[in-house]
Amino acid sequence: MEFDIGKFEEYREDNRLEVKEAKGGLPKSLWETYSSMANGYGGLILIGVSEKKDGSFETAGLDAKDVEKLRRDLWSVLNDGKKVSVNLLAEEDVKDCKVGEDLVLSIRVPRAKREVRPVYINDDLFDGTFRRNGEGDYHCSRSEVKAMLRDQTEETSDMKALENVEIGDLNLDTVHAYRNRHSAYRTGHVWESLGDEEYLERIGAAKRAKADKRLHPTAAGLLMFGEEFRILDEYPEYFLDYRETLDPAIRWTDRLQSSSGDWTGNLFDFFFLVYSKLVKDLKRPFKLEGVTRVDDTPVHKALREALANCLVNTDFFVARGIVVKKGSDAIVMENPGCIRTGREQMLKGGISDPRNKALMKMFNMIGIGERAGSGVPDIYAVWESQGWKEPVVEERYGPDRTILTLAFTPKQAEKTSGKNKRKKQAEETEANGGRGKSAKTLENRVKITAFLASEESAGTGEIARHIGLSPARVRVLLSELMDEGMVQATGNGRSRRYSVKQATGSDEASKRPA
C-alpha cells in the first residue's frame, strides 16, 4: 500500500490506513499500529495528519525540521529490540511528501512473514501483540498469540508423533477405506503389499517416537483415521459441522456433526460424506472413456479442492471448528485459522504453505488437493467459466477464521441504466413507506440482516468487512435497524455484538390479521 498524494482528499481511515498528528514527536500509539498492521494485512501510517469529524483528513503543519527528527526517532526505535521485536521496514518504506504547505511522513508497514509473527512491542510477547479490526488496534488474546507461534515452524504440528496414542486406537475401517481409494487412484503402487502399520508410517499417519522408539499415530493420522472422542483428547476444540438449508421454512434440511456419535467423526469420513452432499444436485454430463463412464466436471473438482483446502488449513486448536454450509444458491466453508501466506498471495497462487502438511500429503495421495499453490486460483477460474459470481475469501480475527463463499448465482451482466435505476429506487422508496431510503441503503440493510441471520451474532468490524462498508456507515445502519426492532445488541465497546431480533409471542400476534 503506497501513499498517493493525488488522492489525499479521498483518503479515510480503515484497516490498512492510520493517521497520526505527531505534533509533539512520535506518538506512543504508533507502535501499537505498527504491530497491528504487521500481524494483519500490512498498511500505511501517515504521520503529520489528523482526522476531522467527517472522516476526512487535514495536515498537522509539520515542516522539514519536524520530519527529519521524526525520521531519526523512527529508525532509532525500530532498531531497538526492547521496543520492537523485529524491524520490517526498508529505507523505501519511509517517505516524506508535501501536501499543500505542510509535510507528511508516510510509513508503509508490510505484512510480516509467518516465521517472525507475532510482531510485538515493549519486549512483551503476550501483552505487546496487536491486530486491527473495524474498530482500530486491539490487544491479541493469548490464544491468538499462540496460534501465530504455532505457525512459525516449518514442521507443522500435525507431523508430531502422539506418544500417548496407539496404532490400535485408529479406526481400521477408515484406514482400509483410505487404502482402497489409494489403490484405485494409483493402481499397482509399491505400498499396496505393506501391512497397515508400515503403510501408515509411509503416508505420514504414524511415526516412531523418540522416547520409546515405538510406532505411534501422528496428529495427522489421528485426525484422519481416529474416533472423535479420541481426537478430542489431543484437540479439545475439534468440531466438524455440516449444515444444509435448502428450504427456508426448515432450519436444517440436513445436518452432520462430528459429535453425534453415530459415525467416526474423523476428517476422512467427513470429507467424503460432506462432498457427496455438496455435489448431489450438480449436473453430471454423460461421457465415456473407453467403456468407463466419466461424470466428473470442473465444478466437482473445484468443490473437492475447496473442501480439502478448508481441512488442511485448519488450526485445530482454535475454537468454533469447521463449518460447511450449503444453501440453495451458495456453499460456505469456514475453518479456524488465518491464511498462512496471506489472502493476496493465496488468490495469486504459486506458493503452497498448508497449516497441516501431513494431512495435505495424505489427501494428495488419493488424488485430492493441489500442492502447487494453484488450488484457489483454479477455483476462481472454474467459477468464472460458469459465469457465476466471483468467490469471496474473508479472514477474521478473534478467533482467527477463514471463510470461503462459493455462490451459484450468475454475475450481473450490466449495470442498471440511470433511468431504470431511478425508477427502481422510487419504487423501493414507495414500498418502504415513503421514508425515502435509497435502493443502496435498503440493499445494505438486507445484507446486514442476512449476514446476522447466518452468523447468529457479529461485531461491527465483521459486518463491515463482509458487506464492504466502513464501520462508521455500518453503525448508522445498525442504529436504524435497532430503532425499528429488527436487530438487537449485547455487550459494550469493542465487545458489542449484534444479532437478528427474534419475534416474541406478542410481536407475532400483532402481525396476524384480525
Side-chain angles (χ1 to χ4, degrees):
M1 189 175 185
E2 300 289 346
F3 176 51
D4 184 349
I5 191 171
K7 295 182 179 179
F8 184 78
E9 298 294 331
E10 302 173 22
Y11 280 123
R12 297 291 185 275
E13 276 197 348
D14 59 23
N15 267 16
R16 300 191 64 185
L17 177 62
E18 179 84 9
V19 298
K20 310 282 185 184
E21 277 193 23
K23 286 182 177 178
L26 288 177
K28 292 181 179 179
S29 63
L30 169 68
W31 303 111
E32 295 178 3
T33 302
Y34 172 83
S35 168
S36 294
M37 290 180 170
N39 291 322
Y41 305 104
L44 184 69
I45 304 172
L46 299 180
I47 305 293
V49 177
S50 61
E51 184 180 18
K52 295 191 284 188
K53 289 183 178 180
D54 64 359
S56 63
F57 294 161
E58 63 181 355
T59 54
L62 298 185
D63 58 24
K65 186 177 179 181
D66 296 326
V67 168
E68 185 56 34
K69 182 178 186 308
L70 289 169
R71 190 190 290 269
R72 285 198 309 270
D73 292 346
L74 176 73
W75 289 112
S76 176
V77 175
L78 280 170
N79 293 311
D80 179 359
K82 293 290 183 181
K83 182 63 183 179
V84 179
S85 63
V86 59
N87 176 13
L88 300 172
L89 305 188
E91 288 287 344
E92 58 268 23
D93 293 321
V94 183
K95 300 177 181 178
D96 55 81
C97 306
K98 191 159 188 177
V99 180
E101 298 299 314
D102 300 332
L103 287 178
V104 171
L105 189 67
S106 74
I107 303 169
R108 187 188 71 87
V109 182
R111 173 188 170 95
K113 294 181 179 180
R114 64 172 174 79
E115 292 85 356
V116 298
R117 287 199 302 267
V119 174
Y120 55 95
I121 63 175
N122 300 327
D123 204 23
D124 191 331
L125 175 64
F126 287 105
D127 200 43
T129 299
F130 294 80
R131 268 182 173 164
R132 289 178 74 76
N133 58 18
E135 305 297 321
D137 304 326
Y138 74 92
H139 267 114
C140 288
S141 65
R142 292 183 73 87
S143 62
E144 286 179 279
V145 174
K146 289 178 180 178
M148 286 187 261
L149 292 172
R150 284 195 297 272
D151 280 344
Q152 285 184 351
T153 60
E154 286 302 317
E155 182 171 294
T156 56
S157 62
D158 67 328
M159 296 177 177
K160 70 175 182 178
L162 304 178
E163 298 184 22
N164 59 330
V165 183
E166 302 296 331
I167 296 294
D169 292 330
L170 302 182
N171 184 287
L172 283 181
D173 289 339
T174 308
V175 173
H176 294 156
Y178 178 92
R179 295 195 65 165
N180 289 338
R181 286 189 177 271
H182 188 200
S183 297
Y185 178 64
R186 296 286 302 275
T187 304
H189 194 280
V190 294
W191 295 348
E192 279 188 18
S193 60
L194 298 177
D196 285 341
E197 290 196 3
E198 192 173 355
Y199 178 82
L200 290 169
E201 185 176 14
R202 296 295 180 92
I203 68 171
K207 184 184 286 187
R208 296 197 178 277
K210 292 180 180 179
D212 61 12
K213 310 300 181 185
R214 293 173 53 237
L215 201 63
H216 294 271
T218 59
L222 179 65
L223 289 163
M224 196 74 144
F225 306 124
E227 300 273 356
E228 185 261 357
F229 72 95
R230 295 191 186 280
I231 296 173
L232 286 173
D233 288 339
E234 185 69 23
Y235 298 99
E237 301 292 349
Y238 178 84
F239 184 63
L240 310 177
D241 190 4
Y242 171 76
R243 308 171 188 176
E244 186 175 288
T245 310
L246 301 180
D247 182 349
I250 304 173
R251 188 178 185 190
W252 315 120
T253 51
D254 193 4
R255 189 86 185 267
L256 178 74
Q257 293 179 303
S258 56
S259 58
S260 63
D262 53 2
W263 63 290
T264 61
N266 61 44
L267 293 185
F268 180 85
D269 289 336
F270 181 76
F271 180 91
F272 286 101
L273 286 169
V274 168
Y275 173 71
S276 66
K277 295 174 185 294
L278 294 178
V279 302
K280 67 182 178 183
D281 303 318
L282 292 181
K283 294 179 180 179
R284 294 175 180 263
F286 186 83
K287 180 183 176 183
L288 289 176
E289 286 187 3
V291 295
T292 304
R293 176 174 176 173
V294 179
D295 54 5
D296 211 14
T297 72
V299 177
H300 287 77
K301 293 175 183 176
L303 286 174
R304 286 199 299 272
E305 180 69 39
L307 185 56
N309 193 62
C310 175
L311 301 185
V312 303
N313 285 295
T314 290
D315 187 335
F316 292 98
F317 291 100
V318 175
R320 294 177 60 186
I322 294 169
V323 179
V324 179
K325 295 182 268 191
K326 180 181 179 181
S328 57
D329 59 0
I331 290 171
V332 180
M333 300 181 186
E334 305 182 12
N335 65 271
C338 60
I339 304 167
R340 277 163 59 106
T341 61
R343 182 178 177 276
E344 291 179 6
Q345 181 60 56
M346 184 187 74
L347 297 180
K348 189 186 303 180
I351 297 177
S352 178
D353 189 20
R355 180 165 279 110
N356 299 290
K357 292 180 180 178
L359 280 177
M360 172 166 267
K361 174 186 175 181
M362 283 189 268
F363 275 115
N364 290 161
M365 290 183 66
I366 56 175
I368 297 166
E370 175 57 64
R371 291 188 69 91
S374 59
V376 173
D378 285 348
I379 294 168
Y380 272 67
V382 170
W383 251 244
E384 173 70 25
S385 70
Q386 296 294 319
W388 292 330
K389 286 184 178 179
E390 186 178 82
V392 177
V393 176
E394 300 174 70
E395 274 188 294
R396 296 180 191 166
Y397 299 141
D400 294 353
R401 200 157 185 81
T402 302
I403 302 169
L404 171 65
T405 301
L406 301 168
F408 297 106
T409 50
K411 290 182 179 179
Q412 188 175 349
E414 57 185 81
K415 291 185 178 180
T416 308
S417 69
K419 183 177 180 180
N420 289 340
K421 187 174 182 180
R422 285 191 295 273
K423 180 181 177 183
K424 183 179 178 183
Q425 189 169 320
E427 290 172 349
E428 289 183 347
T429 299
E430 183 180 350
N432 198 39
R435 285 196 292 267
K437 295 188 186 301
S438 70
K440 191 64 179 175
T441 296
L442 293 172
E443 180 185 344
N444 286 328
R445 284 159 56 97
V446 170
K447 284 182 179 179
I448 290 173
T449 53
F451 178 61
L452 292 177
S454 67
E455 292 297 307
E456 297 182 1
S457 72
T460 305
E462 296 173 56
I463 301 168
R465 287 192 296 274
H466 180 76
I467 67 175
L469 291 178
S470 70
R473 181 58 182 155
V474 167
R475 279 190 284 270
V476 171
L477 295 175
L478 285 169
S479 178
E480 292 177 1
L481 290 168
M482 286 194 294
D483 289 343
E484 295 168 23
M486 298 175 68
V487 167
Q488 60 189 3
T490 56
N492 295 301
R494 291 181 180 174
S495 63
R496 192 173 179 85
R497 297 185 71 79
Y498 300 88
S499 59
V500 174
K501 189 171 183 180
Q502 301 297 320
T504 63
S506 58
D507 291 336
E508 290 296 329
S510 66
K511 294 175 185 176
R512 296 190 193 111

